[in-house]
Amino acid sequence: AAVVVGKDEL
Amino acid sequence: MNIFRILGDVSHLLAIIILLLKIVKSKSCAGISGKSQILFALVFTTRYLDLFTNFISVYNTVMKVVFLVCAYITVYMIYVKFRKTFDSENDSFRLEFLLVPVTGLSFLENHSFTPLEILWTFSIYLESVAILPQLFMISKTGEAETITTHYLFFLGLYRALYIANWVWRYHTENFYDQIAVVSGVVQTIFYCDFFYLYVTKGRQ
């Protein structure tokens, strides 16, 4: 799976 | 944005507002751990520094600002405005036991070794344990006001919904953030015992 940094989450 | 994420955020906001209203309306912060609230203010401060560096959405910015403001008002209510009602005697959890390992871990295990990224990671790890002084206080005194248990219920619900959100995002967007997911699962586990008591005792 692609690892994406989830900065859109709170 | 999926339904779990929206409901998770609403649940988080509700928890924060319930706590704040309880303190303001009763003019008392009895039974509330000031240390947990300081940790949550620190969590939001170190995580939302990206407010200054990049814009994501109006929703994102507004929610971050609201969370930050509410966290600091709560700390102000506990340590300044209603200080006399604050049960500091029973809020005796040693913060260094959380802060030292969390700081160390955020330097060791992060997405990239940059100041903002380390602070973001620190906030994720710290949030997963920030409720412990509150849970410790409840187990020490052996009591919690109903409204405090509602606060904890919505805080735990928010965490559980975020896990559902990550499962959803993993399947639909191939999105996966190991640091957030592992910490989130750890954090949710801390609420399980409380959830059990909330459901079984709450009905009596």
Side-chain angles (χ1 to χ4, degrees):
Chain A
V3 177
V4 188
V5 181
K7 298 293 190 281
D8 63 318
E9 293 185 344
L10 298 165
Chain B
M1 200 171 337
N2 60 68
I3 186 78
F4 305 112
R5 167 70 201 285
I6 279 282
L7 288 177
D9 287 349
V10 168
S11 172
H12 194 185
L13 188 61
L14 209 57
I16 292 170
I17 289 172
I18 285 173
L19 182 70
L20 202 48
L21 279 182
K22 172 218 137 53
I23 296 174
V24 172
K25 288 206 165 185
S26 67
K27 297 189 197 312
S28 163
C29 49
I32 303 299
S33 164
K35 287 183 177 173
S36 274
Q37 296 309 314
I38 287 177
L39 292 183
F40 281 125
L42 190 58
V43 163
F44 291 141
T45 309
T46 49
R47 186 176 309 169
Y48 298 160
L49 288 171
D50 64 350
L51 274 172
F52 300 103
T53 58
N54 58 335
F55 177 79
I56 293 159
S57 67
V58 173
Y59 172 82
N60 190 278
T61 303
V62 170
M63 290 295 270
K64 281 175 175 172
V65 172
V66 170
F67 283 167
L68 270 168
V69 171
C70 287
Y72 279 98
I73 293 176
T74 306
V75 169
Y76 167 79
M77 291 294 170
I78 296 171
Y79 285 98
V80 184
K81 191 117 192 257
F82 302 119
R83 196 191 178 96
K84 283 176 194 155
T85 63
F86 171 47
D87 184 10
S88 59
E89 194 94 320
N90 285 314
D91 193 13
S92 52
F93 196 95
R94 299 278 294 274
L95 286 190
E96 58 270 36
F97 291 161
L98 298 179
L99 289 171
V100 172
V102 160
T103 306
L105 199 59
S106 57
F107 275 90
L108 286 172
E109 197 62 47
N110 49 52
H111 290 306
S112 69
F113 204 79
T114 56
L116 268 186
E117 199 61 40
I118 290 169
L119 284 167
W120 178 84
T121 311
F122 169 83
S123 85
I124 295 289
Y125 293 150
L126 185 61
E127 187 187 354
S128 70
V129 294
I131 200 62
L132 291 180
Q134 179 67 63
L135 296 176
F136 177 76
M137 192 174 181
I138 290 175
S139 68
K140 193 177 175 188
T141 61
E143 58 181 18
E145 283 179 56
T146 313
I147 195 81
T148 310
T149 65
H150 292 333
Y151 162 71
L152 285 169
F153 172 77
F154 282 107
L155 213 52
L157 183 62
Y158 139 66
R159 292 317 312 181
L161 285 164
Y162 254 69
I163 291 180
N165 157 56
W166 291 324
V167 172
W168 180 267
R169 291 188 76 172
Y170 180 76
H171 288 292
T172 57
E173 304 165 35
N174 218 16
F175 169 94
Y176 173 65
D177 184 337
Q178 194 167 29
I179 287 177
V181 171
V182 172
S183 311
V185 170
V186 168
Q187 186 176 355
T188 311
I189 291 169
F190 289 135
Y191 289 90
C192 287
D193 179 50
F194 166 78
F195 268 131
Y196 175 76
L197 291 172
Y198 184 84
V199 172
T200 54
K201 286 195 174 178
R203 296 193 178 191
Q204 286 168 16

